[in-house]
Amino acid sequence: MSEGNEILTELDGIQARGLEALATVQDEAALQAWKTAHLGRSAAVMQVFSRLGQVEKELRGQVGQRANQVKQVLEAALAEKDSLVRAAALERRLAAEKLDVTLPGRKPDYGRLHPSTLALDEICRNLGEMGFQIYRSPEVESEEYNFELLNIPAHHPARDMWDTFHTTQPGVILRTHTSPGQIRAMRENAPKPIRMILPGMVYRYEQTDASHESQFNQVELIAVGPGITFGDLKGTIEDLAHRMFGPDVHIRLRPSYFPFTEPSAEIDMECFICGGKGCAVCKGGGWLEIGGCGMIHPVVLQNGGYDPTQFSGFAAGLGPERIAMLKYHIEDIRLFWGNDVRFLEQF
Ligand code: FA5
């Protein structure tokens, strides 16, 4: 038999074996292997093209045509099989990943506001309605602002009122109260009259107990203008308490001492937990201290840039966690930063 006729017979076999092998292919990996074996560079049909030169002239065209035909038949069969294999794979996946729409859904955990944030927001909203503007001042403070400019010189025994966290930088501390912000707010605005709220975190190196934490929030109130009196201070505190706790709540101002106010007072609120009878939170007294207050000391007014003969002012520093404890009947302040979601989820 001539070389050309031999190849023509071979080509029939190549086509038949290729189609036969393709019939057994079930998945994409097998299909890929088939493609390499039957249509790849060293596949039998491809070898025929490189043997064409050895075929006698009269049959060369016929052999070439037939080889092309076999290649096309195999390619068409491959394309058809490819779509079948893909459809089967998709079907298998859909069957395996079936959705059961009747299963109860998984409830996502929603974040919520921290009780301190809720209390801060409420205090700021009410004071905002009363005409106070929010003023932000830094948590990392200088000793000068935290003490000296508030009429507490170095080595003055009043510094013992605030156990301080110092930094490695001399003269730089974590603020022990929001009062240093008074100086910043006054210096930025003097000699215009001001009514401001300074909310934020403060830090004290203190032994913790049910009503004392080493980090807590304060809200400072400050009003400076001509002719501001202690009556304005009391009225503002009472109005705030009534807005937050209703018209029946009792507050009392107890004479006290702060170097930056004169006269000074502690603000006590009737204990909501025991109704004034005495419990662990109010330490049996029936009242809970929620802040300090007083008329701004002339030296402090002067440090803030106001002439104390022309201006007077009041200031107060409230503890929003103490207020939140009253509002939500929380018995231990340490719960606020204990990171227990069972506590946090209740708000
Ligand atoms: C002060 O910090 C003064 N700067 C307040 C002030 C401002 C007086 C303006 C006059 C004029 P005192 O240390 O008492 O004061 O703290 C004020 C309030 O912060 C307290 O009444 C209390 O509500 C809260 N507080 C104080 N220490 C703690 C603590 N360890 N944990 C939680 N709350 C506290």
Side-chain angles (χ1 to χ4, degrees):
M1 215 198 296
S2 72
E3 175 81 6
N5 282 324
E6 216 172 276
I7 296 181
L8 283 171
T9 315
E10 242 179 74
L11 278 168
D12 290 342
I14 289 171
Q15 179 173 318
R17 279 196 302 283
L19 294 177
E20 207 178 302
L22 191 60
T24 65
V25 165
Q26 302 279 3
D27 56 36
E28 287 188 46
L31 193 65
Q32 201 51 47
W34 181 91
K35 189 177 172 189
T36 313
H38 296 271
L39 285 166
R41 214 175 314 145
S42 46
V45 68
M46 297 306 188
Q47 298 294 320
V48 169
F49 292 108
S50 49
R51 285 161 62 197
L52 276 180
Q54 299 154 24
V55 175
E56 51 278 40
K57 251 199 187 138
E58 331 58 271
L59 283 179
R60 199 175 291 159
Q62 199 188 335
V63 171
Q65 230 173 15
R66 178 68 183 128
N68 265 327
Q69 198 186 28
V70 170
K71 186 172 162 254
Q72 279 161 12
V73 166
L74 293 178
E75 279 171 348
L78 168 71
E80 196 184 330
K81 191 72 179 188
D82 185 49
S83 55
L84 285 176
V85 165
R86 277 174 199 275
L90 181 65
E91 216 158 284
R92 274 199 303 277
R93 238 182 63 203
L94 286 177
E97 295 173 6
K98 221 180 228 168
L99 277 182
D100 184 351
V101 291
T102 63
L103 274 178
R106 273 185 222 135
K107 227 168 125 202
D109 278 336
Y110 290 110
R112 60 193 79 216
L113 292 179
H114 190 277
S116 294
T117 310
L118 291 173
L120 273 174
D121 282 356
E122 197 181 345
I123 296 170
C124 291
R125 195 181 59 246
N126 282 309
L127 286 165
E129 284 172 11
M130 291 158 69
F132 285 78
Q133 274 179 296
I134 292 187
Y135 181 90
R136 294 266 173 205
S137 65
E139 288 179 23
V140 179
E141 259 299 1
S142 64
E143 285 193 62
E144 189 193 6
Y145 274 82
N146 198 85
F147 295 118
E148 274 121 70
L149 294 170
L150 290 173
N151 204 25
I152 316 169
H155 313 299
H156 190 283
R159 285 215 183 181
D160 291 345
M161 290 167 76
W162 296 278
D163 293 308
T164 310
F165 283 114
H166 294 266
T167 69
T168 46
Q169 214 171 315
V172 178
I173 58 166
L174 297 187
R175 67 175 175 190
T176 58
H177 51 175
T178 43
S179 299
Q182 285 184 27
I183 302 286
R184 295 182 182 277
M186 285 193 279
R187 285 190 169 178
E188 217 169 272
N189 291 283
K192 284 184 298 197
I194 53 167
R195 246 184 303 180
M196 289 183 160
I197 333 166
L198 293 62
M201 195 63 92
V202 303
Y203 305 87
R204 291 188 194 174
Y205 185 53
E206 264 186 26
Q207 192 67 39
T208 64
D209 62 27
S211 54
H212 291 84
E213 252 296 1
S214 49
Q215 67 164 71
F216 54 97
N217 285 288
Q218 281 192 343
V219 178
E220 192 88 4
L221 265 74
I222 168 169
V224 181
I228 289 187
T229 66
F230 199 92
D232 295 321
L233 166 61
K234 185 162 185 262
T236 302
I237 300 293
E238 249 167 14
D239 191 359
L240 177 65
H242 291 158
R243 281 167 187 261
M244 291 191 62
F245 291 94
D248 300 326
V249 73
H250 294 115
I251 63 153
R252 74 178 184 194
L253 296 181
R254 185 164 36 89
S256 185
Y257 168 73
F258 293 103
F260 34 91
T261 46
E262 181 59 38
S264 306
E266 300 287 355
I267 308 164
D268 293 337
M269 190 177 280
E270 195 174 52
C271 181
F272 255 62
I273 297 187
C274 61
K277 287 193 205 79
C279 65
V281 174
C282 60
K283 296 205 175 97
W287 295 87
L288 199 79
E289 179 195 309
I290 58 160
C293 66
M295 298 305 290
I296 301 174
H297 196 286
V299 166
V300 177
L301 276 176
Q302 211 154 22
N303 288 341
Y306 289 90
D307 177 354
T309 61
Q310 305 291 318
F311 288 89
S312 57
F314 69 73
L318 306 176
E321 279 80 33
R322 297 265 177 91
I323 293 173
M325 288 171 84
L326 289 173
K327 200 163 175 78
Y328 302 119
H329 294 207
I330 299 165
E331 292 184 4
D332 195 319
I333 198 169
R334 288 166 293 195
L335 287 165
F336 281 84
W337 291 279
N339 268 348
D340 188 336
V341 285
R342 291 169 302 178
F343 169 71
L344 298 172
E345 272 171 0
Q346 295 175 44
F347 301 94

